Each structure stands twice: as structure tokens, then as C-alpha cells.
Amino acid sequence: MMFNNSINTAVLAATLLFKSTDAINCPNARLIKAQGGPDNTCGGGTNHYWPVDYGLDACHAWQGTGTDGRLHTNSAKKMRCDGGVFKFTQYAGNLICDGTGVDKEIGTTCEQDIPPTIYTVGLDLSCCIDPDGDACKALTGQPSAREGSDIFLDGQECEADGGTPPPTPLPTPLPTPLPTPLPTPLPTPLPTPLPTPLPTPLPTPLPTPLPTPLPTPLPTPLPTPQPVTPSPTKTILTKAPTTNKPTPSGTASSCDEDTCNAIRRPMICNRSGCCVYNRRQNKCMLGSL
């Protein structure tokens, strides 16, 4: 135990040789928040707020007692963001970034650090991911390390023991959810009207049959007239008036030839004479009584 205390005392004395006695007002800067500890899942540890704006040549240093009870002194330079990851070169055992440095980087995954008993993870890299965003603006202040540690810039201690820790960033407010609109009620459907019944069609009356026309009777043929045979009548010839001219003997003064020819009688006589039907000549001729 006495040997360990002697070593701690020697380290402290050597460190004080590089420590300026005049504290300065270290400027605020945009920061990233990292956590380191012995848990290999980064389930716990101490927080370290690293400056992003100090530039590649600025030397950021911290000094404090670790969980092992020993005094730890470290410094870093070339601090920068690269693709959402924070990178730097760390120097052990001094406050002025002297000697051979070890390049390191802090991302969002838990990684084994140097020394290998330490595991480190970035808890808030907003200022590397979106330097102008609201989350980064809320993470602005002076760098700080493990509680009780002294913070240095280019070998000079920053005012206020342990530095002025950055303000605890306000939690990013969740966006105010828009009020859930009440569901638009579906329009009350109008009752489906009952279908208007079609009017009952009146029975189609059977067509009145046209009266069956009686057959047109064939005209009764007129009886064929039978030739009328005139009854034989005695034709009385009218005696032609006599003249002073003598009538030739044996002849009649006139003969009704039409009548004679019509009946074709051999002889028709009257007071004047007879008309004799001459068959050879087929005509009536006057004859004597």
C-alpha cells in the first residue's frame, strides 16, 4: 500500500510540472457525450463531454481519481467529427498532448478501449450527426469528465474545479400529436324504398272472334230457257187493198214471206192467196188459192 501511494505521489508531482497555475475561462463548445466503464456491454460508467469546436491543434486534458483510487492524467488533440463518429488522438500521463498518441474513435456501438479494461460508447453524437440541429444546440457548454476531475486546455486549467459541465440537454420534445380526428360518421343511409309494385295488368281480353261469314251461296243458275215452240196458229193474212190493176191469174197480190219463212209452213193462205214455201228455193213464194 505504501508503495502504491509513493507511485501516486510521484505521478502527481510530475503532472504538476506541466500544470499552469493560472486558470483560464475555457470557451463553451459544441459537445458530444460518451460513456466509459468496465462493463463490456457499456451498461454503466462515467460520462465525458468532449469539445467539437476547439480545432485540431487544441489540447483538451483531464485529471482525476479513478475507481481504482489512482490519479489519472490524460490529454487529447485532433478532435473532430468524421461521418457521424468522433475521432481524436489520446496521450496518457500528461496534460499537454506530449509524446506518442493513440488514435481513437467513439461511435454509437460499445467498443473495447485502451486500456482494454475500459469499454466506451457514444451516448449522444448529435453534434457530429447534425451540428446545426436543435439537439446539438442543446448540448453546448464547457467540456467535462468524471466528477471531480480538473479540465485543462492547452496545459492551463479551466476555471471552476472540474470545469463547468454543459447544461443537461432538455429532452427532445416529442412532436405534439395531432388530435386524432373523430371518424367521419358515415352518412345514415336513407331507407331503401320498397319497390313500387307494378300495377297488376288487367287481363288481356280475348279477341272477339269475327263472326264466321256465312258462305256466299252460289247464285242459282237461271234455268236454261227452252226454245219456245210457238203453237201453230193460223195466220190470217190481211188482204191487200185491191187496185184497178188486174191481178195475174193464179197468183196472190202479196205474201207474208217473213212469216212464211219463219214457220216454214208449206202454205199459208189468206183471202188474197197463198204463200207457198218452196223448199228447193228455200223461200216463200206467192201462189194461188
Side-chain angles (χ1 to χ4, degrees):
M1 179 67 70
M2 291 181 63
F3 178 75
N4 288 337
N5 288 336
S6 298
I7 293 176
N8 289 340
T9 302
V11 171
L12 178 60
T15 302
L16 291 176
L17 293 176
F18 299 98
K19 182 177 180 180
S20 173
T21 56
D22 296 327
I24 61 172
N25 184 13
C26 294
N28 287 344
R30 289 180 295 182
L31 307 169
I32 67 103
K33 179 181 178 182
Q35 176 184 276
D39 188 347
N40 61 3
T41 63
C42 297
T46 58
N47 294 333
H48 192 142
Y49 290 87
W50 293 82
V52 175
D53 296 331
Y54 280 180
L56 297 179
D57 294 329
C59 181
H60 163 65
W62 62 100
Q63 185 180 70
T65 304
T67 56
D68 55 3
R70 297 172 57 188
L71 182 68
H72 294 271
T73 302
N74 290 279
S75 56
K77 64 189 308 184
K78 297 182 180 178
M79 294 169 289
R80 65 201 184 277
C81 291
D82 186 0
V85 175
F86 181 69
K87 295 182 178 181
F88 58 94
T89 301
Q90 183 170 333
Y91 302 86
N94 65 82
L95 302 172
I96 56 173
C97 299
D98 185 45
T100 303
V102 178
D103 292 332
K104 294 185 177 183
E105 63 180 46
I106 298 173
T108 56
T109 58
C110 184
E111 300 289 346
Q112 190 175 35
D113 205 339
I114 298 174
T117 55
I118 301 298
Y119 295 85
T120 305
V121 65
L123 296 182
D124 192 341
L125 299 175
S126 298
C127 289
C128 279
I129 297 170
D130 184 11
D132 298 321
D134 292 337
C136 179
K137 292 176 183 178
L139 196 62
T140 302
Q142 289 196 359
S144 67
R146 180 184 176 85
E147 186 178 358
S149 297
D150 295 325
I151 300 299
F152 300 83
L153 177 60
D154 295 330
Q156 290 185 297
E157 185 176 2
C158 295
E159 287 183 350
D161 189 22
T164 303
T168 302
L170 295 173
T172 303
L174 293 171
T176 304
L178 293 171
T180 303
L182 293 173
T184 304
L186 291 172
T188 305
L190 293 172
T192 304
L194 292 173
T196 305
L198 292 172
T200 306
L202 294 173
T204 304
L206 292 173
T208 304
L210 292 172
T212 304
L214 292 173
T216 304
L218 292 172
T220 305
L222 293 173
T224 303
Q226 297 297 324
V228 177
T229 303
S231 299
T233 57
K234 185 176 180 180
T235 303
I236 298 174
L237 298 176
T238 304
K239 183 178 178 181
T242 59
T243 61
N244 294 325
K245 187 179 180 179
T247 301
S249 176
T251 61
S253 60
S254 66
C255 180
D256 188 356
E257 291 183 4
D258 292 338
T259 302
C260 178
N261 289 335
I263 61 174
R264 296 182 180 182
R265 297 288 298 267
M267 183 180 292
I268 299 173
C269 296
N270 56 21
R271 292 181 181 179
S272 298
C274 295
C275 285
V276 180
Y277 182 71
N278 190 329
R279 292 183 180 273
R280 289 182 181 180
Q281 296 184 14
N282 193 23
K283 66 179 183 177
C284 287
M285 301 177 64
L286 285 175
S288 60
L289 290 174

